[in-house]
Each structure stands twice: as structure tokens, then as C-alpha cells.
Amino acid sequence: MNHLPFMLACVTLAYCMVFWALRNREIFRAWREVPVISSEPLAGIERAPLISVIVPAHNEEAGIVACLMSVIDQDYPHFELIVVDDRSGDRTAELARSCLADRQNCQVITVTDLPAGWTGKCHALHVAVGHAKGEWFAFLDADSLLHRSALSRCYKEVSTRSIGMITLSPKPVIETFWEKALQPVFMGLSCIIYPLPDVNDPTSSVASANGMFYLIGRNAYERIGGHLGVRGLAVEDIGIGKRVKALGLGLLFANGREVLRTRMYTGFTEIVRGWTRIHSASMNYEIGKAATHLAAHSLISTPVVTAALFVYVPTALQVWPDVWWVIPCVLAIEVVAATTIYYRILGVPARYSVLASLGNMILVWELGVIIKKILLNEALQWRGTTYPLNRYRPTTLDPRR
């Protein structure tokens, strides 16, 4: 009897067990160690410095009013709102001005040009900061919504902890089939690349941030060089977080499922294209990292696991008749535990986890697309702009020393 297929099946299943054991460890750490920002209103804030809330918007007519109203409704007593219309071709600026008309401490700025060497979002935020008067800057994506206590709670967190920056993971708004299948899985890879407990550990070099929302002190922002220092990055938020932590200014990555909601993408193509940009840049366009994640997620994919079980079970029934079931049962328990707790951390229904296997297969394909883009040195296309400088090659996210 040729035992090679059986041995390969055992090795594959053993790898899957180790993979899911590590995922469970990381998820339990996040459950215990990453604070959840409460939506409960605060009784009061002793000192309420001016917070400048800055919203960059490029063709966001579908959601800009809801986003701005979520800011206007904040219970924080002292803030201003600055909207940056970044070269929109729709009614974004018109809707924003109509929404903010006759409201004090609110303004809409229009950016018409993109200087060489800048990504659009970085430039828009850089321009907006020049108009901001606050001691703190709250950067909020236009596809996101804040609970009315978000600013108060986040400021209370940074002031209590004496840190320079807080950033939040959102509760994802997922409505379509492909959002349910892909968004949690794709977000999961980001958590593997940048584990949040490590981001919050001042002794760890791991650092990140989420551009959907972060609150940063003016002093910290200026010390890291602002958006000028990350002007060419496709994931400028991660660059900001890395610079804050590198200077020891204090960084907290908290769970914002109660105070921040975001609908990033809707359709299949939009989801894959958006996450291709995020994941490739998060891995610093390093083909070794992309290939490692591709191999890992290929081995745990449903077709590979099913094939391994198909080979394993008949032989294991003969070789280990009393304990053959241990490996499949342990693996099943690990998968169910990891997905159930992870989806609860995200704040989305656990029943969506039945689509995770499909999401993982699409993730494998997306990682293959990333490797192809890196190998072919393709240019970056992002939010209607094709950047003339290649972006699918290593360009350090870390502060230059």
C-alpha cells in the first residue's frame, strides 16, 4: 500500500489544526485585551478642547449626508467640522454644503488638483489640517457613521491614558451576499498581519491604524510630520500609526463596534479591488509575505481540507480504528470556536460565518492577484486616479530613520 497520500493528508490536517489553534489564541487575546469603546453617554467632560473633525470625500454623494449628520449629532461640546471635497465628479460638495448651511464651525473645502507624489486622500487631509483650529484632529471616512457619544468616549480614552492617538475598528455594515461572504474574512487577514493586542503593546514593534476613524493630538500629528510624512502611501493610516508608536507618543487601537459603523464596499468587484490595495500595501508589496499568506490560506481552504479528509478517513479507520475521529473533530471545534468568537468581536451575526469558507477561497484568489501585480510591476488605481509611480513594489511603511 502506498502510504504517501495518507501521510500528506495527515500533514495537511495537522497544519490546519496548528493554523486554527494560533487563530484561536489571537482571537481570544483580542477578546480579552482590546478594549471596546462604549456607546453609553458620559456624565460630563471636565475639559473639552476643540476637536477638528475632518471628513475627506471623493464621489460620496450616496452617504455624505448621513456621515455629516452623525458628526453634527455628537454630544461632545466643542468641535468643528471640515469637509474636503476631493475632486468629486458628483453632487458630494453640493450635498455637503446644503447639509452644513447656516451651521456654525462647519465648512466645506474643495480640492481641485493633486500634486505629484501625493495620494489623493493624503493631500485632501493635508489641506484640511491647514484650516483646522483644534487641539485634536478626528479623521473620519465619508462612508462611516459615528454614534453620538463617539468623540466624547474617544477623547475620554486618550485623556485618561495620556496617549497621543486612538483609532477604532468598526462594526462593518454588510448587507449583500458578497459583503457577508468576503468582508469578515478579508478583515481577518488584516488582523493576522497586524494583531491588535500587539499594536497596543508598547514593547512590541507592531503598529497600525484605521483611517476610517482616528483621533490624534495636534502635537503628536505635527511631531510625526503629519500627512506630509506619508503622502505617497496607499495605506497612509498604517503609516500614521507606525510613526506615532515609533516616537513613543502613545497609540491605542480599540474595538469601535458600538460607536463606529462603516460600509466599505458593496459589490464583488469593488470589495476585491479595494482589499487588494489594502492588503498589498499592508504587506509592503513584499512578494514573500504575499506568497506565505497565499500558501497558508490555500492549505486551510475547503477544497484542500475536503480532499485531505477524503484520503485520511479510509486509511485512518484501518490504522487507528478507535481514535481516527480525533483529528477531524478537533479541527471542526477549532474552526467553529474561532469563527464564532471572531464574528462576535466584529459585531456581525455569527450565522454569516457559514460563508467564511467561500470567502477564504476568494481571499486565496485575491492573494494570487496581488502576487501577479507585484511581479508585473503594475501601477496603482485607486478611487478614480491612476498613479504614475508604481505602487506594487516595496516602499517602507515604517518611519525612515
Side-chain angles (χ1 to χ4, degrees), residues 139 165 167-170 208-214 237-238 253 260:
F139 296 102
M165 177 177 173
T167 186
L168 304 179
S169 62
S208 184
N210 180 13
M212 297 171 192
F213 177 84
Y214 57 96
D237 46 1
I238 297 177
F253 206 133
L260 176 67

Side-chain angles (χ1 to χ4, degrees), residues 171-208:
K171 176 179 180 178
V173 177
I174 48 181
E175 299 178 2
T176 66
F177 173 82
W178 287 115
E179 287 175 283
K180 295 172 184 177
L182 301 183
Q183 284 291 87
V185 175
F186 283 32
M187 292 173 74
L189 179 56
S190 290
C191 293
I192 292 173
I193 298 172
Y194 295 110
L196 299 194
D198 292 340
V199 172
N200 293 339
D201 181 358
T203 66
S204 169
S205 62
V206 177
S208 184

